[in-house]
Structures are given as C-alpha cells and as structure tokens.
Amino acid sequence: METRETDPRVRLWGPVCQAVALLLGPYAEVVLHDAERDRVLAIWNPHAGRAPGDPSLLGELDRLEPAAQDVFGPYEKLLADGRRLSSVSAVLRGEDGRPSAVLCVNLDRTPLDQAAAVLSRFAAPTVERPEPLFEQDWTERVQEIVGTHVRERGRPVERFGRVERMEVLADLDRAGVFAVRRAVPVVATALKASRSTVYALLADLKAPRSPR
C-alpha cells in the first residue's frame, strides 16, 4: 500500500481495500480517494503510476449513472499502454451522511481478454475441414445432416413428426447414406427411432407416386 499520510479514513477503510487487493491482485488496483479535496489518499497495486496526493479526477463519475445507491459501474477505462480496465467506484459516507471518501477498484482485463482469445480459438475451427478425410466417414455425415435439421427447427429430434423425419431421410438418401450396409441402425439411433420405423419411412419415401 502507498499512502501519503496517516488519515482516519485510511485506518477505517484500509483493511477493506487491502482485502480486495489481495483477493484480485496483482490484477486489481484499489484506490481510496479524498472526496472533498479530489486527491488520492492511498493506493494498492498501482497500475497507472499514481501516488497518494495525486489528483483523483473524480469528475468522471458525474457522467455515469449509478448502478446502485452510491455505487458506479462496472465501467470501462483505458490506460495509456492500451490495457483495458473494468472499474467500479463506491461513495463512502461519514456519520453526517456527506461523502467522505471514494473507493475505486480497477481490474486489468488483459488476462481475461487473453484467456477469451485462447478459448475462442479452441471453440471453433479456423479453417474448413479437409473433406477428403471425411468423405468415407458416412456415420459423421449422418450426424451432420440430422444435426442440421435439429438446429433449423429448434427442437430435439425425438419431437420430430413423420413429415420431418421423412425430410431428414430424404437428405440422407441424397447423400448416399443408405447405399452403405447397416446404415439403418445408425440412422435409427440418430433419429431416436426404432429400426422398424426407419424401414417403414424409407419404404414410403421410395414408393412410386401415383399420377394425379
């Protein structure tokens, strides 16, 4: 902790500030401001080179809508080195109800942004899959076609009606799935239907249509 002088407000709220800094450190800067003089009283884990006695510039809070009584944020701030901060500020009042100090917590978002970037790279492919590696894997084609219908309809496959199942089977047939031996058991599992149901639907699908 850096403090300019022994101040009763630092003695009163300092342990709270230190607890927050220890919990979120070294990524959180915790600052206790003098609400009347607009100066820094004490600071834990400084991020921007500030020190006790420096201007607080609390006027920025006047532009924000409070999130709760005497609490502002989280709101975003930007350091000169490009780091983004998520900040929250709380007005601390004395016994007379007047603002005595302002507690600010500035959380460095850099590790969170880096983690999000890593996760996003794992979450989705960055290049198209090599089709030659999968063209022989007809079971994956079954999963892909059935899954596409599920996503388009927005409901699980077990809630598909007869017409919807017929449409799925028609797509599977066009993909050449039923040219593979023992395809029906795999399709039945994907559709959560019995084999006899799939065989019956296939028979209807392939039945010649009588002219009208």
Side-chain angles (χ1 to χ4, degrees), residues 93-117:
R93 297 181 181 274
E95 294 182 357
D96 58 1
R98 297 178 59 187
S100 175
V102 177
L103 167 62
C104 293
V105 180
N106 302 311
L107 181 66
D108 186 354
R109 295 171 55 105
T110 302
L112 299 177
D113 292 340
Q114 292 173 342

Side-chain angles (χ1 to χ4, degrees), residues 59-71:
E60 64 183 11
L61 298 183
D62 296 336
R63 301 191 300 269
L64 301 175
E65 290 292 332
Q69 183 176 358
D70 286 339
V71 177

Side-chain angles (χ1 to χ4, degrees), residues 105-195:
V105 180
N106 302 311
L107 181 66
D108 186 354
R109 295 171 55 105
T110 302
L112 299 177
D113 292 340
Q114 292 173 342
V118 171
L119 291 175
S120 66
R121 287 195 292 270
F122 278 108
T126 56
V127 297
E128 294 185 3
R129 73 179 188 178
E131 287 298 332
L133 296 179
F134 294 92
E135 61 184 4
Q136 301 301 321
D137 191 352
W138 61 272
T139 59
E140 181 166 321
R141 187 70 67 189
V142 170
Q143 297 295 324
E144 181 180 354
I145 291 174
V146 174
T148 298
H149 279 267
V150 168
R151 290 179 65 87
E152 289 177 349
R153 287 168 171 77
R155 60 178 179 275
V157 71
E158 54 265 29
R159 293 178 55 188
F160 281 13
R162 185 178 186 279
V163 173
E164 293 165 323
R165 287 180 174 180
M166 292 280 283
E167 292 175 352
V168 176
L169 293 180
D171 283 350
L172 291 170
D173 190 40
R174 282 190 288 270
V177 168
F178 295 111
V180 181
R181 289 185 57 191
R182 297 189 59 79
V184 169
V186 174
V187 172
T189 299
L191 287 176
K192 298 190 185 308
S194 65
R195 298 182 188 182

